[in-house]
Amino acid sequence: IKDGKLYARGSSDDKGPTMACYYALKIIKELELPVSKRVRFIVGTDEESGWGDMEYYFAHNGLKDPDFGFSPDAEFPIINGEKGNITAYLHFEGQNDGDFSLVSFIGGLRENMVPESASADFTGPITLKELEDKLADFVAEQEVTGQVTEEAGVFHVTIHGKSAHGMMPQNGINGATYLALFLSQFDFQGNAKTYLDIIAETLHKDFFAEKTGLAFTDPKMGELTMNAGVFNFSKESEDNTIALNFRYPQGVDTDAIKANLEKLEGPKAVSLSEHGHVPHYVPVDDPMVETLLSVYEKQTGLKGHEQIIGGGTFGRLLKRGVAYGAMFPGYVNTMHQANEFTEVEDLYRAAAIYAEAIYELIK
């Protein structure tokens, strides 16, 4: 804790809010408030991946599914709508010949994160000094930094951008697409050229999938977004990939996403992830939503309103499930980023809101 901020991985997403909910339940219990409903406090650990934990829980817990509930995995006043979520994979060959030869291209840690950095190994008729000069010119014109080294005739180039949550890729600086943009000035041929061109010419800054023909906006749920999240290319591999994470509103389906990507020139195939989620919405006049908004207004003095996001929370696993807090309006978003933090006072405020909200729902 420094200057009133709790620095830790998960402090804002989502270990800190989880503990705020735990203490909310502890408050209700220690005050011995009269309740009429069973409350389940469910903690999952696979929300950033395939959600296999919740599939297992609902299949084996031996109880009927909860009638309603919320996840503290977003913002106040409420998130009662979430876009659909699916990852598509573009597949490419690897072997490439020519004066310039791409040995490898690696970028991104997770599909739902903007790649903070990316690196490539390649050979070609250029000196280290010439490459350093070209890189210096490139980073001077862009929002990135980078460095290049050489070992045994192989150049290693790394570009650093800025990470962000994949639901809002426009908030990040994609190190991988900038790296492809830098490399596109060289005379790569064959599969390497195909791979780099589609990144630099089609995916670079295409946050709303306009170049892929998938741009779409729903009046209530907003626009479709696309995050180019993970890149894996090896000259020795026959199946190199680019992972594109889509957050899509109602009015779009995964079949349409796949069909449009298959029209792109370059990839040998397109596949979709096994796990995905369709758009989810709980009406603002649902009694649970009304109760949660009422408590938020009472505690903060601010007007409550519905919100729809591109992120995915466990709230969508219930037909009457929403996300509720724990971030307050105007917070600094450091989720999925270095030096993640949350205001300690905000955790106290959230715990108070959760305690009253849960009590109002179960009294």
Side-chain angles (χ1 to χ4, degrees), residues 7 17 62 85 94 105 150 165 170 174 180 194 221 255 282 296 307 309 338-339 344 352 354 358:
Y7 289 87
N85 185 340
F105 186 107
E150 180 185 9
H165 198 296
Q170 66 272 29
N174 194 315
T194 300
M221 301 195 81
D255 289 339
V282 181
Y296 170 80
Q307 294 185 99
I309 62 170
N339 300 317
V344 174
Y354 289 146
I358 293 171

Side-chain angles (χ1 to χ4, degrees), residues 117 190 224 263 268 283 298 322:
S117 64
L224 174 148
K263 297 176 183 178
K268 67 175 183 178
K298 175 184 174 183
V322 300

Side-chain angles (χ1 to χ4, degrees), residues 145-218:
T145 59
Q147 62 267 354
V148 57
T149 59
E150 180 185 9
E151 184 176 351
V154 178
F155 298 105
H156 181 80
V157 181
T158 300
I159 294 290
H160 302 277
K162 176 187 176 183
S163 184
H165 198 296
M167 70 176 175
M168 299 186 73
Q170 66 272 29
N171 288 350
I173 301 173
N174 194 315
T177 66
Y178 275 96
L179 176 59
L181 185 65
F182 172 70
L183 294 176
S184 65
Q185 65 184 291
F186 303 114
D187 189 25
F188 289 97
Q189 298 296 319
N191 295 312
K193 178 176 174 58
T194 300
Y195 191 83
L196 295 174
D197 282 354
I198 201 166
I199 301 172
E201 297 177 5
T202 303
L203 303 181
H204 182 58
K205 290 190 173 182
D206 192 28
F207 309 122
F208 304 105
E210 296 171 342
K211 298 176 187 176
T212 57
L214 283 164
F216 181 82
T217 300
D218 174 76

Side-chain angles (χ1 to χ4, degrees), residues 70-140:
F70 68 82
S71 172
D73 189 21
E75 307 169 358
F76 288 118
I78 202 168
I79 304 295
N80 57 312
E82 299 181 13
K83 296 177 185 177
N85 185 340
I86 194 72
T87 296
Y89 302 94
L90 308 183
H91 300 265
F92 302 81
E93 300 285 351
Q95 285 294 331
N96 61 100
D97 297 307
D99 290 339
F100 283 86
S101 179
L102 184 62
V103 179
S104 67
F105 186 107
I106 303 295
L109 299 174
R110 304 188 75 90
E111 296 158 0
N112 64 346
M113 294 174 63
V114 175
E116 183 174 17
S117 64
S119 299
D121 289 343
F122 69 96
T123 60
I126 190 172
T127 67
L128 179 60
K129 178 62 167 60
E130 290 171 332
L131 192 56
E132 288 174 335
D133 291 343
K134 288 182 178 295
L135 183 60
D137 291 340
F138 180 80
V139 300

